[in-house]
Amino acid sequence: MTDEIVKQFPLLQRQQDGKRLVYLDSAATTQRPQTVLDAVRDFYEQNNANPHRGVYALGERATAAYEDARTEVASFLNAPREEVIFTRNATETLNLIAYSWGLQNLKAGDKVAVTILEHHSNLIPWQQVCRATGAQLIFLYTGPDGLLSDREIEQKITKEVKLVAFTHVSNVLGMVTPVEKITARAHEVGALCVLDCAQSAPHLRLDVAKLGVDFLAFSGHKLYAPLGIGVLWGRKELLEAMPPFLTGGDMIESVREQDATWAPLPEKFEAGTQNAGGAVGLAAAIRWMQGIGFDTIARREQVVYRYAWQALSHVPHVKLYGTPSGEHAGAIAFNVEGAHPHDVASILDADAVCVRAGHHCAQPLLHHLGMTACCRASFAVYNTCADVDALVESLQKVRKWLGYGA
Ligand SMILES: Cc1ncc(COP(=O)(O)O)c(C=O)c1O
């Protein structure tokens, strides 16, 4: 089974300086299986035209490919297709929600709540919109273990809070947040919920009917699809009441010299020529994941995650962040005592082991945890325990390379 999955990824067959490539940076972006690469290539070779424009047969095939991709995403999320909007990535989706919903609905005296776990993409748009509207941005803090307590949820989400924007999975610590508790509390006080699924979509089954949130965002490239395609899902009545985020071609109903009216959903939020090839690739990636099965994906990833946590916790001078208890998906953050994370990542790279080093676009979280940078090993369904062994073996060299002797 393992080989069967790994074999489907052309890039993972490559070597770096004669060494097997060990890719442990899937939280940044995943690799793509052959079937996704083929689907994109097939679109450009067989069906490429500008969707929603040409009335000729080729144009209609392009439109059909693009709209079929929307149907695939809608079934992946268990949502009506008109509630699925294509964007460039999760960042654009979160900006769309913040600027369109936020500017229209927030005012002085209101609060927007985020968690300290947020990626900058689910933080800065809210900072900006709060500044513009006079609303206050507040934080739900985790303990040092990265977990959010029930008390924090109860105490911070009060009736002044109009919206809670939070990540489903921390991109640094890999921990799954308590979605059910947060949404229950938010809805109790009449607030809306935005769920950032950038890090959960590759690992967990997303069913909007069960998640109970009001908006959701993810990027295709983190779940085996091409770069440059993302998704916004939102409840229809909210999306219908919101003004467009970007304006221009294809999002209008009619245009006069001084004003315009908007197309119905989903086109209202899809101004300009869309990334149809990316959408087709995203649909292929979703079919590929469904072919493996979400239970199988979760099971395989849990095995690798648990193995990695155990193995890394036994490497001398390695400090792990977060906790292995609770639900976990995709990532482990660590530092090597006395070594800058960039040095660690460069030394690992000499063994063709790819990990991310830096602040991971989560500077407030790192500050909260008392550090400025760390390394992150992140996993996808193609990773195996052999990848973890390679990481551990390479990590054991780091301090020697840096002259510590041990
Ligand atoms: C939790 C989280 N949210 C949002 C994003 C932004 O994703 P993108 O850069 O694809 O827009 C990321 C990217 O790493 C992320 O990890």
Side-chain angles (χ1 to χ4, degrees):
M1 184 69 170
T2 301
D3 282 339
E4 286 311 307
I5 289 180
V6 178
K7 263 197 294 194
Q8 296 177 49
F9 288 79
L11 196 138
L12 297 178
Q13 313 311 315
R14 295 182 71 87
Q15 298 217 324
Q16 182 172 303
D17 299 329
K19 293 173 184 153
R20 182 174 78 84
L21 189 70
V22 177
Y23 188 72
L24 295 171
D25 196 18
S26 294
T29 196
T30 51
Q31 301 304 337
R32 284 83 178 127
Q34 189 64 52
T35 180
V36 169
L37 301 173
D38 290 345
V40 175
R41 185 187 167 126
D42 186 65
F43 173 78
Y44 285 110
E45 284 184 354
Q46 311 287 337
N47 298 320
N48 180 51
N50 200 324
H52 298 164
R53 309 297 201 277
V55 291
Y56 45 86
L58 180 59
E60 288 186 353
R61 284 210 304 280
T63 302
Y66 181 63
E67 291 303 331
D68 287 352
R70 192 190 311 279
T71 305
E72 196 75 59
V73 174
S75 94
F76 172 61
L77 296 174
N78 190 23
R81 34 185 332 280
E82 65 199 328
E83 295 183 348
V84 173
I85 317 287
F86 285 120
T87 61
R88 278 186 306 150
N89 48 39
T91 302
E92 184 176 296
T93 300
L94 294 162
N95 274 271
L96 188 164
I97 303 166
Y99 284 95
S100 174
W101 184 89
L103 287 181
Q104 190 178 53
N105 290 286
L106 294 170
K107 58 181 185 329
D110 292 342
K111 291 181 179 174
V112 171
V114 295
T115 78
I116 194 66
L117 296 165
E118 301 316 312
H119 186 280
H120 297 163
S121 293
N122 194 32
L123 171 58
I124 304 171
W126 301 112
Q127 291 177 345
Q128 296 292 93
V129 166
C130 283
R131 191 164 295 143
T133 58
Q136 185 191 357
L137 184 63
I138 62 159
F139 287 81
L140 274 65
Y141 293 101
T142 66
D145 54 6
L147 296 175
L148 285 166
S149 70
D150 293 355
R151 193 158 171 265
E152 188 71 4
I153 295 168
E154 290 289 313
Q155 286 190 345
K156 293 284 173 65
I157 305 178
T158 57
K159 65 176 184 356
E160 295 77 30
V161 173
K162 296 293 176 265
L163 181 127
V164 186
F166 64 107
T167 191
H168 196 181
V169 170
S170 160
N171 68 307
V172 179
L173 303 174
M175 285 138 77
V176 180
T177 56
V179 178
E180 226 172 280
K181 285 182 185 162
I182 295 174
T183 49
R185 177 65 182 161
H187 290 155
E188 196 179 309
V189 300
L192 297 180
C193 287
V194 176
L195 191 61
D196 175 359
C197 295
Q199 293 297 342
S200 59
H203 309 291
L204 307 174
R205 202 187 298 272
L206 299 181
D207 179 335
V208 296
K210 291 195 182 134
L211 284 167
V213 294
D214 302 285
F215 297 102
L216 168 157
F218 70 89
S219 292
H221 70 94
K222 293 185 196 286
L223 60 129
Y224 314 102
L227 295 163
I229 187 78
V231 170
L232 156 67
W233 168 82
R235 283 201 289 113
K236 184 178 170 192
E237 61 274 27
L238 295 171
L239 294 173
E240 276 181 337
M242 283 158 53
F245 173 50
L246 299 174
T247 52
D250 212 35
M251 51 71 67
I252 52 89
E253 184 186 59
S254 92
V255 183
R256 292 164 301 273
E257 283 192 10
Q258 298 296 330
D259 59 10
T261 55
W262 316 135
L265 295 175
E267 280 84 19
K268 180 171 80 169
F269 290 106
E270 293 184 358
T273 299
Q274 297 298 302
N275 181 0
V280 166
L282 174 57
I286 289 171
R287 280 195 296 276
W288 181 80
M289 288 172 74
Q290 285 166 337
I292 296 174
F294 288 95
D295 292 339
T296 307
I297 290 173
R299 210 167 33 245
R300 282 175 56 98
E301 291 179 347
Q302 281 307 310
V303 168
V304 174
Y305 165 75
R306 304 237 162 258
Y307 183 79
W309 185 280
Q310 272 302 318
L312 289 170
S313 60
H314 288 107
V315 181
H317 306 287
V318 166
K319 176 176 169 50
L320 302 181
Y321 297 96
T323 167
S325 66
E327 217 187 332
H328 214 286
I332 297 181
F334 61 92
N335 266 320
V336 178
E337 196 189 328
H340 191 279
H342 283 155
D343 289 338
V344 176
S346 299
I347 293 168
L348 297 185
D349 186 44
D351 283 333
V353 175
C354 311
V355 300
R356 173 101 181 259
H359 56 59
H360 310 288
C361 300
Q363 282 184 316
L365 172 65
L366 267 63
H367 182 73
H368 178 66
L369 296 175
M371 57 173 153
T372 51
C374 63
C375 295
R376 177 188 68 189
S378 58
F379 310 106
V381 68
Y382 43 66
N383 288 116
T384 64
C385 294
D387 294 336
V388 176
D389 291 341
L391 168 67
V392 167
E393 195 184 323
S394 192
L395 265 180
Q396 278 160 340
K397 300 176 189 168
V398 168
R399 282 176 52 96
K400 286 190 199 118
W401 271 48
L402 293 173
Y404 284 99

